[in-house]
Amino acid sequence: VIGPAPAGDDGPSKVDAALRPKFLREVVGQRKVAERLEIAVAASKKLKEPLGHIIFDGPPGLGKTTFATVLPNELGTSIQLTSGPALSKPADMLPFLTNLEEGSILFIDEIHRMPRVVEEFIYPAMEDFRIDIVLGEGMSARTISMQLKRFTLIGATTRSGMLSGPMRDRFKMHEHLEFYSVEELATIVRINAAKLNTPITDGAAHELARRSRGTPRVANARLHWARNYSAALHDGAITEAVAHAALDKAEVDADGLDKNDRRYLETLIDVFGGGPTGVEALAATMNLAADTLSDEIEPYLLREQYIVRSPRGRVVTPRAFAVLGRQSPPKPRP
Ligand code: ADP
């Protein structure tokens, strides 16, 4: 059973869905996570018990949904997909909970954005596979308890810090996904180019991978663009020269930073004197949502040390000046 698509699903995510691995062995990288999941799957099959609830956290596009969607294939069960923002009240959970099959999976993307009332409503479902439904109002209200099929809840979040303690404690496995190496991304690019029937050289796959912000979803998007670029202007194959030209045309710089990354660094330097500054002020100046900055832009800039986080806010590093081709200001004398 495939439930409603997560909110905001559009073109690129269709590409993602088509390229998504079907089984754990097809998942590239994240070896430790994959190995632990293999053990959990094997145990679940042997013991004939549903998989324990799992939470995946990490920046967008690193494979949280991918891991969640390979698990039902491994277990031979079904999955329903929904997302935190789509669940505004407990009743929104009912169609999913009543559609459960024994051992099936319920995936909630952006689970940190689920309202507290819904969170509390699913605690008994997670613990005892039971929900309490209140019928009527006021004096005549009564609660009935409904038994559910035993199931596995898989949550994905870009903000594990925003999960409440009780919610976090109800997950048996907590898996954190990390950015990918260039080699891992190059492997993903080659596999996906083959799926798209697009010839690609190893040098081109490496070039696309190197300029993909450590993120498989970005690598897929860069591949898709390079494929279109070649189909329109060349013979359809992606050579290193085509990859270079395509990425330059997309304004992805030699280090893989895109327009928003550079705008972020430029704003921090030009408007805020390099920081420290708070994310809200930066977001307002850039005319973007603060969540977009902290969930999508900053994790990669932090990991590559273009910025650092201090108690008083974000600060640029000399690396940021270098990547923008600027001279860093002399260090102030103590
Ligand atoms: P998230 O849920 O963390 O935002 P997704 O699971 O949707 O990220 O990943 C985006 C796309 O990147 C997937 O559709 C898939 O094509 C690709 N992808 C992600 N992780 C991997 C991986 N480990 N191996 C191969 N492809 C991956």
Side-chain angles (χ1 to χ4, degrees):
V1 184
I2 302 288
D9 239 12
D10 50 24
S13 40
K14 279 208 194 96
V15 176
D16 278 345
L19 298 177
R20 205 163 258 150
K22 303 273 183 299
F23 293 95
L24 272 175
R25 63 175 180 278
E26 295 169 30
V27 172
V28 176
Q30 312 284 354
R31 275 343 293 168
K32 293 208 172 106
V33 177
E35 281 166 16
R36 283 192 288 270
L37 291 172
E38 268 158 18
I39 292 171
V41 164
S44 155
K45 285 186 183 164
K46 269 203 181 146
L47 301 172
K48 302 203 169 24
E49 283 175 11
L51 212 58
H53 307 305
I54 308 174
I55 183 98
F56 291 108
D57 86 82
L62 294 192
K64 299 181 292 297
T65 311
T66 300
F67 273 116
T69 51
V70 299
L71 289 172
N73 297 336
E74 295 286 343
L75 293 161
T77 184
S78 61
I79 182 167
Q80 303 182 83
L81 303 139
T82 183
S83 70
L87 303 167
S88 59
K89 52 188 187 305
D92 295 333
M93 282 298 298
L94 287 175
F96 298 106
L97 295 175
T98 50
N99 266 333
L100 292 169
E101 297 172 326
E102 182 73 16
S104 70
I105 289 174
L106 175 59
F107 175 64
I108 306 182
D109 199 6
E110 295 188 76
I111 196 165
H112 60 277
R113 291 177 62 192
M114 201 164 66
R116 187 55 62 93
V117 281
V118 180
E119 200 182 298
E120 283 168 6
F121 177 70
I122 64 169
Y123 287 162
M126 292 177 77
E127 275 178 356
D128 309 321
F129 306 113
R130 168 180 67 77
I131 44 171
D132 298 318
I133 303 174
V134 183
L135 295 176
E137 276 175 17
M139 293 291 282
S140 62
R142 60 201 171 89
T143 305
I144 56 164
S145 198
M146 190 176 126
Q147 196 62 38
L148 303 170
K149 300 266 169 58
R150 296 187 308 162
F151 73 106
T152 303
L153 181 70
I154 301 186
T157 178
T158 47
R159 300 271 192 100
S160 60
M162 269 174 73
L163 278 188
S164 72
M167 184 84 209
R168 201 193 323 260
D169 293 345
R170 282 172 171 80
F171 288 99
K172 297 278 185 311
M173 290 177 78
H174 299 85
E175 295 296 352
H176 175 70
L177 301 189
E178 275 298 331
F179 286 106
Y180 291 66
S181 70
V182 172
E183 286 67 34
E184 288 165 348
L185 289 178
T187 305
I188 293 176
V189 168
R190 279 194 302 268
I191 292 171
N192 291 345
K195 285 188 190 167
L196 296 168
N197 287 322
T198 302
I200 188 165
T201 65
D202 284 349
H206 189 269
E207 185 62 13
L208 294 179
R210 204 178 58 73
R211 291 162 77 175
S212 289
R213 305 179 92 250
T215 306
R217 177 176 296 139
V218 176
N220 283 348
R222 306 272 201 254
L223 168 64
H224 202 247
W225 168 248
R227 178 176 179 257
N228 283 351
Y229 185 91
S230 183
L233 303 177
H234 295 270
D235 59 358
I238 308 177
T239 59
E240 205 171 321
V242 168
H244 263 288
L247 292 180
D248 290 347
K249 183 63 81 189
E251 295 180 58
V252 174
D253 73 16
D255 298 273
L257 299 187
D258 60 26
K259 271 184 288 185
N260 272 341
D261 296 321
R262 286 195 303 275
R263 250 187 86 213
Y264 179 104
L265 297 177
E266 281 160 4
T267 308
L268 189 48
I269 290 172
D270 296 336
V271 183
F272 297 97
T277 191
V279 68
E280 301 288 341
L282 261 169
T285 311
M286 290 178 69
N287 209 7
L288 287 174
D291 281 358
T292 308
L293 261 56
S294 47
D295 289 359
E296 292 175 25
I297 301 180
E298 290 183 338
Y300 184 70
L301 297 179
L302 281 164
R303 145 147 143 173
E304 292 296 309
Q305 297 181 354
Y306 292 112
I307 55 171
V308 290
R309 253 192 207 145
S310 79
R312 285 164 52 225
R314 282 70 172 156
V315 185
V316 285
T317 64
R319 243 197 122 189
F321 284 93
V323 80
L324 295 177
R326 303 203 191 174
Q327 229 163 6
S328 35
K331 277 217 170 89
R333 283 166 202 263

